[in-house]
Amino acid sequence: MELLVATAVAAMTAAGIYLLLRAQTFSIVLGLTMVTYAVNLFIFASGRLTVNQPDIIVNPTGTYADPLPQALVLTAIVISFAMTALILVMSVRSYFESGSDLVDLFGPEETVSKDRR
Amino acid sequence: MNHWMIFPILLPAVVAPLIVLAIRNDIVLARIFSIGCSVALLMVGGYQFGLASDGVIRTYAIGNWSPPFGIVLVLDRLSATMLLLTAVIGLFVLLYSITGWDNRGRHFHPLFQFQLMGLNGAFLTGDLFNLFVFFEVLLIASYGLMVHGGGGATRIRAGIQYVVMNLTGSSLFLIAIALIYSATGTLNMADLSRKIHETPAATQAILSVGGALLFIVFALKSALFPLHLWLPGTYANAPGPAAALFSIMTKVGVYSIVRLFTLSSVGLEWVLPAALATLMIGSIGVLASRSLGQQASFATLASMGTLFVAISGSNSMALSAGLYYLIHSTLCVAGIFLIVDLVIVKRPGFGDALVESPKFPYQGIIACMFFAFAVALSGVPPLSGFIGKILVLKSTQGFPNWHWIWLILFVTSFVGLVGMARSGSLLFWKCNTTQLDVALFDSNNPSPQVNSIPSPVASSIVLQSVAIGCFFALIAMLSVFASPVSVFMKETAEQLYDSQKYVDSVLGKDK
C-alpha cells in the first residue's frame, strides 16, 4: 500500500508541476488542482497508513487511525477548492480582458502602467 | 485568561461579513464601519502592546482546549509589535483609500478587513496549521485587493501570476506541515520546539526537509532571492492602497521565519548570500526602473535584503537591528506606494512612467512627500532609514567577512539613492522645463497647457496628504525616539532567543 500511495503522490505531483510550468492559464489551473490532490493525499499519509482502524484509541495497545491529518486534509480541501474557483474566475476575466489565456505580462511599452486607472 | 487577545481576529471577522451582507450598497456606511473597526484595532493593539511590554508571554487557549491539543494564541513582544504595526498601517491606508479607491470596485472594505484579520491571526497564532489557515485568509483577501477596481489586462495578468505563485507556495506549506507532523506528532509551535531535539535520528531527515520547505515558503512570501521574481510585477501593478497594505505582507514571511527559527534554535547564517543578492537586485532595479511603481517595488526588495542581512546574524543584537529596520521599512514602503498612487492619479496620460510631462496639479506637495520618503527609504540621514542601516551595519561586525557586507550595503545604498534622485528630478523638476518650452513655442496659446487638466476635488488631496503625512510622522518619531525603540527591540530579540520561556508559558513549566 505504501508503494501505491507513494507512486500516486509522485505521479500527480509530477504531472502537476509539468502543467504548472506551461504558459497558459487553463493548464496552470489543471496543474494546481493536480498538485493540491497530491498534497492532500500526502497529508493523509502523514498520519501513517492504516486500514480498517477506528479513529479513536479503543485499546491502548492496539493500532488506530490518526484523526488529526483527516481534519487537516478537510481544511486543505476546502481551501484549495475555494482557491481553484478564484483562479478560474480570474483566468476567465483575463481571457476576456486580453483576448488570450497567456499568463506572461506584456512588453515594456505596455507595462508602463498607462491602464492603471 | 485575557479575552482581549482574540479581539484583533474577532472584530474584523465580524465587521467584514457585516459589511458584505448588510451594507454593501452604502459606501458611506461601509467606510464608517471599516474606519471604526480599524480605530478599534489600533486601540486594542496599543493596549496589547502595553501589556506585552512587561515581558510576560500571555497565552489564550481557544475554546479552552489546553495546549498542545487545542489551538493557542500567544502574545509576546514581537507579536504585539506586529499587531500594532498592522493596525497603524491598516488605519492610515484606509484613510487614504476612502478618497475614492474603495469606490472603484465592489467589496473593498470587507476584503480589507479580512486581510487585517488574516494578518492579526498570523501574528498571534501559536499553531503551525493555524498559521497556514491565517496565511490563506490574508492571501485570498489580497488576491481580491490585487485586482480591485478592474485595471485592465495587465493587472489581471499580474494578479494571476501572484495567485499561482502563492498557491504553489501554499502547497509547499502543506507538504512541510505534513512532514513535520509525521516526524513529531504535533503542530503546536511550543511543543515542536521541545520535540524537534528529541526526535530519533531516523526521523531527523524528514524533519529537516520539512523545516527547509517551511523556510522556502516563507522566503517566497518575503521575496528572498531567488524567490523574489513575483514581487516587482505584483506590487507595481496592484492598486496603490493595496500595494501599501502588502508592505506588511512581506513582513509576515519574515515574522514567521524569525518565530520558527528562534523557537527551534536553528541558525540562519546561510541566508546571508541570498540576502545580499536580494539587496543587489533590488538596488539595481531601483536604478533601472521605468516607472515609479516599479521603482518602489524594487526599493521594497532592497529593504527586504537589508532585513535578511540582519536576520542572518542569528543573535539577539542583529535581530534587534533587523526588527528596528522592519518597522522602518514597512512604514516607508507603505508611504511610498501611496505617493506612487497619488502621482498616477494626478498625472493623467502619463501615469507613473518615468518620463517628462507637463506640470501637474499639487506637484509641489507630492514632490515634498516623495523627497521625504526617498530620503527615508534610501537610508540618508537624518531619518530612521539611516539609523536602521547603522544598526544593521553595527550588528554585522561580528561576521567573518563583514567588510564585504559593509561594502555591498554602502554601494547598494548609494545606487538606490541615485535611482531615487533620478526619478524625483524626472518627475518633479524636468516637467517645469517642458512647460516652459510649451509656453515659448506655442505663443498662440497664452495659457499653459496645465490649465486644461481638470483639477480634482481639493478635499481629497488633503485627506491623502494627511494619510501620507501620518506615515511620515511615524517615521520621524521612529527616528527621534530611536533609542527607546531600539532598547525595546533588544528586549524583544532577547525574549525571542529565550525559547525555553516561550515553551514554558505555552505548555506550563511542569512538562
Side-chain angles (χ1 to χ4, degrees), chain B residues 209-228:
Chain B
V209 172
L213 277 179
L214 268 189
F215 181 81
I216 290 175
V217 173
F218 298 140
L220 175 74
K221 310 283 181 209
S222 46
L224 184 69
F225 174 84
L227 301 166
H228 65 281

Side-chain angles (χ1 to χ4, degrees), chain B residues 89 91-97 101 239-245 292 296 331-345 366 369 373 463-471:
Chain B
I89 301 244
L91 180 62
F92 294 155
V93 170
L94 203 58
L95 214 58
Y96 181 91
S97 57
W101 252 114
L245 187 61
L292 199 60
L331 293 172
C332 230
V333 167
I336 202 118
F337 273 109
L338 294 185
I339 293 171
V340 171
D341 187 60
L342 212 50
V343 170
I344 295 170
V345 173
I366 300 176
M369 291 190 288
F373 277 87
L463 196 54
Q464 285 161 342
S465 315
V466 165
I468 298 172
C470 285
F471 278 119

Side-chain angles (χ1 to χ4, degrees), chain B residues 161-498:
Chain B
Q161 290 186 357
Y162 174 65
V163 175
V164 170
M165 202 75 187
N166 276 301
L167 285 187
T168 317
S170 300
S171 298
L172 281 181
F173 200 162
L174 281 174
I175 294 174
I177 286 174
L179 283 171
I180 289 173
Y181 179 76
S182 68
T184 61
T186 181
L187 288 173
N188 181 293
M189 291 185 200
D191 204 23
L192 269 178
S193 155
R194 219 178 36 175
K195 283 196 176 149
I196 50 169
H197 297 296
E198 296 167 6
T199 48
T203 52
Q204 199 68 45
I206 296 179
L207 199 59
S208 311
V209 172
L213 277 179
L214 268 189
F215 181 81
I216 290 175
V217 173
F218 298 140
L220 175 74
K221 310 283 181 209
S222 46
L224 184 69
F225 174 84
L227 301 166
H228 65 281
L229 293 163
W230 61 273
L231 190 137
T234 304
Y235 279 38
N237 287 304
L245 187 61
F246 288 1
S247 71
I248 190 104
M249 257 175 45
T250 42
K251 272 63 178 189
V252 182
V254 176
Y255 165 84
S256 310
I257 288 175
V258 168
R259 170 71 76 209
L260 290 174
F261 281 78
T262 52
L263 266 182
S264 58
S265 329
V266 177
L268 285 165
E269 292 83 3
W270 39 274
V271 181
L272 186 62
L276 291 175
T278 316
L279 181 57
M280 286 191 279
I281 290 170
S283 53
I284 292 168
V286 166
L287 201 57
S289 296
R290 301 176 56 162
S291 74
L292 199 60
Q294 223 176 13
Q295 189 169 49
S297 318
F298 278 108
T300 312
L301 208 55
S303 76
M304 295 311 287
T306 315
L307 191 49
F308 272 106
V309 168
I311 286 174
S312 72
S314 302
N315 58 53
S316 63
M317 189 195 162
L319 186 58
S320 69
L323 291 176
Y324 182 90
Y325 195 79
L326 184 149
I327 297 177
H328 152 79
S329 88
T330 313
L331 293 172
C332 230
V333 167
I336 202 118
F337 273 109
L338 294 185
I339 293 171
V340 171
D341 187 60
L342 212 50
V343 170
I344 295 170
V345 173
K346 305 295 180 210
R347 263 191 6 158
F350 290 91
D352 63 342
L354 291 178
V355 290
E356 292 175 33
S357 71
K359 216 171 168 179
F360 52 96
Y362 307 112
Q363 189 179 358
I365 186 162
I366 300 176
C368 288
M369 291 190 288
F370 177 79
F371 176 72
F373 277 87
V375 164
L377 201 55
S378 51
V380 182
L383 291 176
S384 53
F386 176 69
I387 302 166
K389 276 201 177 152
I390 290 284
L391 286 173
V392 172
L393 284 175
K394 218 175 115 189
S395 73
T396 55
Q397 258 178 333
F399 287 25
N401 40 9
W402 59 272
H403 42 277
W404 282 108
I405 303 171
W406 279 43
L407 183 70
I408 291 174
L409 271 167
F410 281 134
V411 170
T412 51
S413 294
F414 178 70
V415 169
L417 183 64
V418 170
M420 288 280 184
R422 169 179 158 264
S423 62
S425 56
L426 255 176
L427 280 174
F428 303 111
W429 270 351
K430 289 215 173 159
C431 51
N432 294 339
T433 58
T434 322
Q435 190 208 347
L436 202 65
D437 292 347
V438 169
L440 277 176
F441 293 122
D442 195 7
S443 52
N444 295 337
N445 181 10
S447 64
Q449 276 189 341
V450 265
N451 292 348
S452 61
I453 299 169
S455 176
V457 190
S459 70
S460 78
I461 183 82
V462 173
L463 196 54
Q464 285 161 342
S465 315
V466 165
I468 298 172
C470 285
F471 278 119
F472 182 72
L474 287 172
I475 292 173
M477 271 165 66
L478 196 61
S479 324
V480 173
F481 299 108
S483 167
V485 172
S486 62
V487 168
F488 182 84
M489 287 310 152
K490 195 156 171 37
E491 286 167 357
T492 309
E494 277 160 8
Q495 190 183 42
L496 280 170
Y497 274 100
D498 189 7

